[in-house]
Amino acid sequence: MNARSASAREFTAVEEAIDRAAHRLLDGRGRSRWRRGVIELGVFTLKQAWASVFGGLLLACILAARLWWPDDAAVARNDALTVAAVLIQLAMLGFRLETLRELWVVALFHIAGTVMELFKTDVGSWAYEAEGILRVGGVPLFSGFMYAAVGSYMVRTMRMFDLRFTRYPPLWATIVVAVGIYANFFLHHFWIDLRWVLVAAIVLLWGACTMRFRVLRTHLWMPILAAFALVAIVIWGAENIATWGGAWAYPDQVGGWQPVSWTKIVSWFLLMILSVVLVTLVHRPQPAVHARADTPSPLRDGVHGD
């Protein structure tokens, strides 16, 4: 089994189907630049949506519970969300839509997020509705799955887009910063807030790093800090939807919903670094090599499943 077929075996059935369909479209009707650009954009959109499927389904459940779940139902809304989150995770594994290697990272991020939730709700940073039995203290168990959704997105993105890096910082240095970020989420309640020091450390470590990713046959480059920032903004947008849906509330939202402060983007940026470092424990950052724009993906016809 060669390297390309080994790489193909890392893809799920849905990911294989996306690539195969796109290759047929490209190979069947010529190779005009406009046509290739449209197909590559379509593949990028589908893969991004697929990478976000865990979070997207969970967010849909939160909104559905807000709109349609009866207040006097026998099962509390938060318990229903916990059951829904577990079923989503089991379905992804059962239908082989997520690999066991990915589950390891997702579970680790789930645990780290739940521990932070227990502390943050205790000090009043945010609060959940006091309902349901599937909870630990003031934290419903579905909350950990929201962090797991971020970890799921990160690990699936790294694999699907074959992320490669130039000038990626040493792994030990990234672990030190990640530990500092996680500790600061707790310690700043009792000591000084070092978030801007940590942001500066991130810029120093990753500032020169660029990321290469393959959509289908096209390889693109971008500064990795820009990717971190874009994802943090998207998560902040999802957080606004989730708080509107009543998943939790910040102190300034108790009297009525209002948009989450934009300063939370910095918090999500820091949490992004933590998730990235956890992902690199499973998928070690690989060095980038310059490739032709039409380099085929590992799922070209005749390669997958060899």
Side-chain angles (χ1 to χ4, degrees), residues 94-295:
F95 290 104
R96 298 182 180 179
L97 305 181
E98 190 170 76
T99 67
L100 291 176
R101 291 181 68 196
E102 291 170 350
L103 180 62
W104 185 87
V105 176
V106 169
L108 190 59
F109 205 45
H110 186 137
I111 294 170
T114 300
V115 171
M116 189 168 69
E117 285 282 329
L118 288 168
F119 176 82
K120 289 291 190 177
T121 53
D122 187 61
V123 298
S125 295
W126 55 80
Y128 294 89
E129 292 182 352
E131 62 174 14
I133 59 175
L134 300 178
R135 59 192 301 115
V136 178
V139 180
L141 296 182
F142 80 83
S143 65
F145 286 95
M146 294 186 291
Y147 293 89
V150 177
S152 175
Y153 170 81
M154 291 303 304
V155 73
R156 290 152 68 82
T157 297
M158 179 170 282
R159 174 176 50 76
M160 276 195 293
F161 290 96
D162 189 25
L163 299 189
R164 304 287 175 135
F165 306 92
T166 60
R167 297 180 293 277
Y168 196 89
L171 188 61
W172 67 265
T174 66
I175 292 174
V176 169
V177 170
V179 170
I181 289 170
Y182 192 65
N184 190 66
F185 279 122
F186 299 86
L187 295 179
H188 81 84
H189 290 278
F190 312 106
W191 196 46
I192 59 175
D193 190 349
L194 297 176
R195 72 179 62 198
W196 294 111
V197 175
L198 292 165
V199 169
I202 292 168
V203 172
L204 287 174
L205 272 181
W206 279 277
C209 180
T210 57
M211 176 180 73
R212 190 209 73 181
F213 59 98
R214 174 183 48 77
V215 181
L216 184 68
R217 300 181 186 179
T218 300
H219 292 79
L220 302 172
W221 297 77
M222 72 182 302
I224 194 170
L225 289 181
F228 292 162
L230 287 172
V231 175
I233 292 171
V234 170
I235 296 174
W236 173 76
E239 183 182 35
N240 275 279
I241 297 173
T243 53
W244 180 85
W248 71 92
Y250 290 105
D252 60 353
Q253 295 176 322
V254 173
W257 183 84
Q258 57 181 305
V260 178
S261 170
W262 66 269
T263 59
K264 291 294 182 181
I265 296 175
V266 179
S267 298
W268 283 113
F269 179 80
L270 293 172
L271 200 65
M272 275 291 305
I273 302 301
L274 178 60
S275 66
V276 167
V277 173
L278 287 176
V279 169
T280 58
L281 297 180
V282 173
H283 294 290
R284 294 297 174 88
Q286 298 298 313
V289 292
H290 289 275
R292 292 174 50 194
D294 60 349
T295 301

Side-chain angles (χ1 to χ4, degrees), residues 54-75:
F54 194 123
L57 290 174
L58 186 56
L59 191 59
C61 290
I62 290 172
L63 291 178
R66 163 68 182 264
L67 295 172
W68 298 301
W69 196 263
D71 292 334
D72 58 351
V75 178

Side-chain angles (χ1 to χ4, degrees), residues 35-47 215-216:
R35 178 181 176 80
R36 186 172 67 183
V38 170
I39 293 174
E40 293 273 0
L41 178 61
V43 170
F44 178 81
T45 303
L46 287 173
K47 287 185 176 180
V215 181
L216 184 68

